[in-house]
Amino acid sequence: MILGSALRQGKAIATKPSIIGSSYSASPLANALFQVESYYTTLSAQNDNNKNKTSTPHYPTSHFQSRSYHPSTSIYYLQTTDPKQTKFSSPTLPKYNLAPSVIEEIKKDLKDVDADGNGKIDSEELKELLKKHNSTFTDDEIVELGELFYASSGAGSVEIDRFVEALDAAANGTSTLASDLGLKGKFKTHPLGIGTCASEYMYAKTHGKWTEEELDVKLTHVPPEKFVDKAAFVAVKAFRFGFDIGTGWNRGAITTDKILNRAIFLETVAAIPGMVAAIIRHFRSLRNMARDGGMLNMFLEEANNERMHLLTFIRMKDPGYLFRATVIGGQFAFGSAFLTMYMISPAFCHRFVGYIEEEACATYTKIIKAIEEAPEGTDLGNWRTEEAPKIAKGYWHLGEHGSVLDLMLAVRADEAEHRDVNHAVSGVAYDTVNPLYDPREKMDNMLKRYVQDMMERTNDNEKNNKTNKVAA
């Protein structure tokens, strides 16, 4: 849900390959920064030595240095590709961007939960750590993050020093991408060694907990740029024009019957794209014997979400036989066409769905406005207080007395998320990680929130200490 909001704000989600480093090595990020620093240090020293030489110009040879950390000695062993300069460094500590007082409190916090005293943090110890910060993390988040850490780290654990480095990197927004460090192909891992394999089978999405901000959906539009985008946009506009005329949507006032007939029919069709996308990606993953990136789970959930819209609306009106026959014909026609097009151009299909969802958001906004402005005592006005079906209350967490108006607001929020996600994935590489459930993004968010809480606690402690000294 948080990432869905990020997509709505146009934030790009980077995909970062992951490998797990040796248990005796510093984090790839620390190593990379150390190598870049030592590279320029080496060049500078060699240039200084050759300043006064007037003989044949000397072009310095660069030698990258690396360091490894041994927890039993707290010494960083300095190594270089130049055999003449191999040496061991004196005991030193890694450099952090966070204040020393914050680092000290964080290390103390981590050691407190290190139950077996092995200097590492595993998934159960991570849960205990987050429980100490229950004002920042909910119980559901603690369970989810613990399971995610267990799965993404391959049931492993992380050294406390490396955990601190990861916290420091996340808090300062330091990128772990190799391309950002100019060392392509050397360091690609998340500071905690978190991979993306968990996205293949873990996907926790609860549509019921929309915030007030997320329910206040803004009508947005992605201008078509490429030919595929323009073709999808024209197709959606033509479909909308024909459907509005055929159903008489724009003739006369909006009524409850008009709304339910339109919503029920469209939801029987709207659940098709997500299922088609999931099926195609499923077969491709099997055929190529490769990961899907977790997109399959996202599209399955999208299809089921649209199905839940349908199951809710039919509790408010039971369609007749002619209506049901029309649904069968519509499913066959649209389902066959969409399946064919998805095999030809997934980019077109996702852009098409993105524009369809733009229209859905506009339609539900019109419906919500009609309900809010309807006179008291009318069927439409009664929806402001009439309770939504039980299935809707349970699925969207509308509360014991959730109204039909609350239901419409939640459905519109669903459509807005489908809009943003389909626009975001149109034309992306096949192996792109699910933008709504990237384990690395979730862990980074956890690290940032934890550091923020620790910084606030440290500041409070320092203020209290100063107050006590003054009082003494």
Side-chain angles (χ1 to χ4, degrees):
M1 195 173 294
I2 294 174
L3 290 178
S5 300
L7 284 172
R8 282 195 276 280
Q9 296 168 7
K11 293 181 180 178
I13 298 177
T15 57
K16 297 175 276 194
S18 176
I19 56 174
I20 299 179
S22 168
S23 60
Y24 285 110
S25 63
S27 76
L29 174 62
N31 237 341
L33 294 174
F34 188 82
Q35 289 196 19
V36 172
E37 181 182 2
S38 65
Y39 171 76
Y40 288 108
T41 302
T42 303
L43 289 182
S44 176
Q46 291 180 356
N47 286 331
D48 289 341
N49 291 335
N50 292 305
K51 273 183 180 179
N52 301 321
K53 292 185 180 180
T54 56
S55 56
T56 306
H58 171 72
Y59 298 97
T61 344
S62 61
H63 298 283
F64 279 112
Q65 296 175 325
S66 62
R67 61 181 180 177
S68 60
Y69 173 74
H70 198 292
S72 63
T73 59
S74 298
I75 295 177
Y76 279 90
Y77 296 98
L78 182 64
Q79 296 175 326
T80 174
T81 54
D82 184 357
K84 297 179 181 179
Q85 297 183 17
T86 301
K87 59 183 178 181
F88 294 104
S89 69
S90 57
T92 183
L93 294 173
K95 296 180 180 178
Y96 299 111
N97 292 303
L98 291 171
S101 57
V102 177
I103 293 296
E104 184 179 351
E105 288 297 322
I106 289 175
K107 287 187 175 182
K108 181 181 177 182
D109 209 26
L110 292 172
K111 289 177 181 178
D112 286 344
V113 298
D114 183 15
D116 48 14
N118 64 351
K120 297 181 180 180
I121 300 296
D122 59 28
S123 60
E124 291 302 317
E125 291 165 343
L126 176 64
K127 290 179 185 178
E128 292 301 318
L129 178 70
L130 300 182
K131 285 178 183 177
K132 296 176 64 177
H133 300 263
N134 53 15
S135 60
T136 302
F137 300 96
T138 66
D139 291 341
D140 289 342
E141 287 178 323
I142 292 172
V143 172
E144 180 189 355
L145 289 168
E147 293 301 315
L148 185 62
F149 181 78
Y150 180 88
S152 300
S153 62
S157 57
V158 176
E159 293 175 1
I160 288 179
D161 283 331
R162 186 174 182 183
F163 201 99
V164 174
E165 287 183 359
L167 289 167
D168 188 63
N172 289 279
T174 307
S175 175
T176 57
L177 282 174
S179 57
D180 293 341
L181 298 173
L183 298 170
K184 187 175 181 181
K186 290 186 178 291
F187 301 103
K188 301 179 180 180
T189 188
H190 185 279
L192 288 181
I194 297 299
T196 60
C197 57
S199 63
E200 297 295 320
Y201 55 89
M202 289 184 67
Y203 183 62
K205 176 65 181 173
T206 303
H207 279 87
K209 297 181 180 179
W210 294 115
T211 65
E212 289 297 324
E213 182 182 0
E214 290 166 335
L215 288 173
D216 184 21
V217 172
K218 307 300 181 186
L219 298 182
T220 61
H221 173 62
V222 175
E225 297 179 356
K226 301 178 182 178
F227 173 77
V228 167
D229 302 338
K230 294 176 181 178
F233 181 72
V234 171
V236 168
K237 286 298 182 181
F239 178 81
R240 169 84 194 235
F241 179 77
F243 189 77
D244 285 352
I245 291 179
T247 59
W249 176 250
N250 294 322
R251 293 197 301 269
I254 296 178
T255 65
T256 54
D257 272 345
K258 268 188 177 182
I259 293 172
L260 291 174
N261 286 337
R262 185 182 184 86
I264 290 172
F265 184 84
L266 288 178
E267 296 299 352
T268 64
V269 175
I272 293 175
M275 183 59 68
V276 168
I279 290 173
I280 296 296
R281 295 183 72 90
H282 178 69
F283 275 93
R284 181 170 181 173
S285 177
L286 297 177
R287 183 172 64 252
N288 294 341
M289 303 180 191
R291 294 181 184 181
D292 168 72
M295 294 278 210
L296 188 158
N297 300 322
M298 179 176 67
F299 293 133
L300 278 176
E301 198 283 331
E302 178 182 309
N304 188 59
N305 176 244
E306 299 285 10
R307 188 178 68 91
M308 290 303 299
H309 294 177
L310 172 66
L311 295 181
T312 296
F313 291 133
I314 61 173
R315 298 299 298 171
M316 301 172 68
K317 180 176 182 177
D318 186 16
Y321 292 114
L322 180 60
F323 190 101
R324 292 173 182 270
T326 306
V327 167
I328 294 173
Q331 279 192 341
F332 178 78
F334 181 77
S336 301
F338 194 85
L339 175 64
T340 303
M341 283 306 304
Y342 201 92
M343 290 188 289
I344 297 172
S345 176
F348 169 85
C349 290
H350 286 300
R351 189 66 72 194
F352 177 87
V353 174
Y355 288 133
I356 282 285
E357 298 295 4
E358 286 184 9
E359 298 295 333
C361 288
T363 298
Y364 278 109
T365 297
K366 186 176 181 180
I367 291 171
I368 290 168
K369 183 179 180 181
I371 296 172
E372 292 174 337
E373 296 177 352
E376 290 287 345
T378 62
D379 290 341
L380 203 56
N382 289 339
W383 274 4
R384 290 194 292 268
T385 55
E386 181 181 327
E387 291 191 11
K390 289 183 178 179
I391 190 172
K393 293 179 185 178
Y395 183 69
W396 282 282
H397 294 246
L398 299 179
E400 185 179 0
H401 303 292
S403 67
V404 175
L405 176 58
D406 295 329
L407 164 65
M408 293 300 179
L409 289 167
V411 170
R412 183 179 63 171
D414 288 345
E415 306 295 9
E417 182 179 78
H418 301 163
R419 172 197 66 193
D420 299 332
V421 167
N422 278 278
H423 277 315
V425 302
S426 177
V428 301
Y430 171 74
D431 58 352
T432 300
V433 179
N434 181 351
L436 293 187
Y437 205 82
D438 186 335
R440 299 161 303 186
E441 297 290 339
K442 280 192 167 289
M443 295 307 294
D444 277 346
N445 181 55
M446 180 270 289
L447 295 172
K448 291 175 184 177
R449 291 166 63 190
Y450 171 79
V451 170
Q452 181 63 35
D453 191 45
M454 288 301 297
M455 290 174 68
E456 292 175 0
R457 291 191 182 193
T458 303
N459 289 335
D460 290 341
N461 291 337
E462 290 178 349
K463 288 180 182 178
N464 291 335
N465 291 336
K466 288 181 181 179
T467 303
N468 293 335
K469 287 182 180 180
V470 172

